[in-house]
Amino acid sequence: RVDLWSVYLDIEISSATRQGLDAADPNGRCWEPTRKLFERVVSMKNSSKKMKFFFKKWLKFEKDHGTEATVEHVKQKAREYVNSLGA
């Protein structure tokens, strides 16, 4: 269910932010569990509308907490997903 996954992602993000882990970790390793959770969510079978929601959420997360490389990774994953629809 989209709402449950969305809440789970929000909790992961707010937990690391609230604990100050993002500021204490200049390499961004504190976000690895959150990134793995995003990877897991977008690997599931969902409707295109739900996938768009998760990719937008992930992209916003990376723009706020990631690097240019992580933003590009999300964009690449989204392109792969769109291409898989046409196949």
Side-chain angles (χ1 to χ4, degrees):
R1 297 202 31 182
V2 173
D3 54 340
L4 295 177
W5 282 107
S6 181
V7 169
Y8 188 17
L9 287 162
D10 289 342
I11 290 170
E12 282 288 319
I13 295 166
S14 66
S15 175
T17 304
R18 191 173 47 251
Q19 293 174 18
L21 298 177
D22 56 336
D25 184 9
N27 297 323
R29 280 176 272 150
C30 69
W31 297 118
E32 286 308 309
T34 308
R35 288 187 175 104
K36 287 181 182 182
L37 185 58
F38 274 113
E39 292 272 358
R40 181 177 174 192
V41 169
V42 299
S43 70
M44 298 185 317
K45 300 290 182 196
N46 285 307
S47 70
S48 298
K49 184 177 178 180
K50 292 175 184 174
M51 292 300 285
K52 180 180 178 182
F53 169 80
F54 285 122
F55 277 118
K56 286 177 75 173
K57 188 175 190 75
W58 190 8
L59 186 60
K60 181 184 179 327
F61 165 78
E62 291 298 352
K63 285 180 177 179
D64 292 345
H65 303 287
T67 63
E68 287 182 33
T70 58
V71 168
E72 188 55 39
H73 176 73
V74 175
K75 290 179 181 179
Q76 181 61 34
K77 285 289 197 179
R79 282 190 288 272
E80 289 172 9
Y81 170 74
V82 170
N83 290 338
S84 73
L85 294 177

